[in-house]
Amino acid sequence: MDRAIGSIAILGGGTAGWMAAAVLAQVLRGTGTSITLVESADIPTVGVGEATIPPIVDFLRLLEIDQAEFMVATEGTFKLGIRFDDWTTPGERYWHPFGTFGPTIDRRPFHNMWHRLRAAGDDPRVEAYSLSAALGDAGRMAFADPRAGGVGPSGGLRHALHFDAGLVARFLRTWSERRGVTRLERKVEGAVLRDDGFVEALALKGGGHLAADLFIDCSGFRGVLIEEALKTGYEDWSRWLPCDRAVAGLTARDPNPPP
Ligand SMILES: Cc1cc2nc3c(=O)[nH]c(=O)nc-3n(C[C@H](O)[C@H](O)[C@H](O)COP(=O)(O)OP(=O)(O)OC[C@H]3O[C@@H](n4cnc5c(N)ncnc54)[C@H](O)[C@@H]3O)c2cc1C
């Protein structure tokens, strides 16, 4: 039996769907694998934000997308970390900077020194040893020095991007379609399952099916395949996550946003 994957169907065209399509189009180029993404204009994407963390830069590198071009297209800005102002109490703030903290000293990772300082009765804030946090507080931006080979404070700098998620999906859609991904504008009503319980095809509204060897469910909270068809079960983490909602809002436009 030929188990090679010759066709892939992605259900959903939000950030997850188009990111999956782009990565697969890139890594499978030249293999002849067909990739089809199905999305429905009747079901909107979440499309808020979007704050990212440094692996987004690796993602762009994998796709050989020029970062400057991507940022212009997605109205993006750089970020060196996330600063939570008034986090636990008014006036209190908490930094989650990207990159490394402090240098290695005598081949010992920096956190050993930090723990030693604490054991000696000091109460050092770990962000005080982060170049990203210092740059962010100063309203400055720098990239890692490639000559540092990931060593030292400037070598350990990492950055991420903050962009408009809707524009990201649009950018990746154009990018993916140019690389042979087929987009199907249809609502999926469910899945046709094989006797062994695996998905055989997507049932399209108005008739017709989309068969594939591999299905990727990017239908968002609906979980059209993983939940509605396969009933894999929802794992509720709310007892570990005291925050159960998010509110998106706009702030005044800052002509010079801090990184
Ligand atoms: C207020 C808020 C703030 C957030 N902030 C961040 C953030 O800063 N950083 C971050 O990383 N994440 C953030 N998130 C989470 C992030 O926005 C979502 O996880 C992400 O956008 C979800 O994308 P998705 O592609 O999985 O799903 P969706 O955007 O929901 O896309 C689902 C897709 O599936 C399609 N679809 C669904 N059902 C069908 C069907 N039956 N037939 C055909 N097509 C179908 C839809 O048309 C759509 O294209 C935030 C979320 C919220 C609500």
Side-chain angles (χ1 to χ4, degrees):
M1 182 180 163
D2 180 11
R3 293 175 61 86
I5 293 173
S7 55
I8 300 173
I10 299 168
L11 169 49
T15 33
W18 284 114
M19 285 177 87
V23 166
L24 289 168
Q26 176 77 337
V27 300
L28 296 176
R29 73 202 138 151
T31 63
T33 312
S34 75
I35 304 169
T36 307
L37 185 146
V38 197
E39 64 179 323
S40 166
D42 298 344
I43 305 170
T45 59
V46 173
V48 290
E50 190 103 0
T52 66
I53 52 174
I56 194 73
V57 178
D58 304 328
F59 169 80
L60 294 180
R61 206 172 288 138
L62 173 72
L63 300 187
E64 300 169 281
I65 291 175
D66 178 60
Q67 182 175 263
E69 183 197 342
F70 183 77
M71 286 184 66
V72 170
T74 61
E75 297 180 4
T77 182
F78 290 118
K79 58 191 285 197
L80 290 163
I82 308 160
R83 199 179 74 194
F84 299 85
D85 288 336
D86 300 327
W87 188 237
T88 49
T89 47
E92 197 267 354
R93 55 178 237 198
Y94 159 70
W95 252 109
H96 167 198
F98 302 144
T100 56
F101 292 85
T104 297
I105 302 171
D106 286 341
R107 295 195 195 154
R108 289 187 184 84
F110 173 76
H111 67 267
N112 291 298
M113 317 301 158
W114 188 76
H115 280 300
R116 187 184 271 193
L117 206 54
R118 284 185 60 140
D122 208 338
D123 186 21
R125 287 190 71 105
V126 74
E127 69 204 46
Y129 300 91
S130 158
L131 188 56
S132 293
L135 283 168
D137 279 335
R140 308 299 292 266
M141 168 71 199
F143 296 107
D145 179 358
R147 289 164 305 175
V151 181
S154 70
L157 267 179
R158 295 207 72 192
H159 72 278
L161 307 175
H162 202 110
F163 44 55
D164 181 321
L167 295 179
V168 169
R170 201 179 302 166
F171 180 96
L172 292 177
R173 173 183 158 186
T174 309
W175 190 94
S176 305
E177 285 184 316
R178 279 199 198 123
R179 281 154 188 82
V181 173
T182 306
R183 176 178 174 270
L184 205 57
E185 162 73 60
R186 295 286 288 277
K187 186 169 181 201
V188 173
E189 291 197 309
V192 180
L193 300 183
R194 294 192 320 214
D195 291 342
D196 61 7
F198 284 100
V199 178
E200 181 165 291
L202 303 180
L204 306 174
K205 188 178 176 192
H209 293 105
L210 176 68
D213 296 329
L214 176 70
F215 296 87
I216 302 180
D217 188 349
C218 297
S219 60
F221 291 121
R222 282 172 191 81
V224 174
L225 299 182
I226 53 175
E227 199 44 48
E228 289 176 10
L230 298 175
K231 304 197 185 339
T232 53
Y234 180 76
E235 212 174 304
D236 186 351
W237 281 20
S238 53
R239 68 192 155 114
W240 291 293
L241 302 172
C243 179
D244 66 357
R245 65 206 63 203
V247 180
L250 297 176
T251 57
R253 183 179 284 270
D254 184 342
N256 193 20

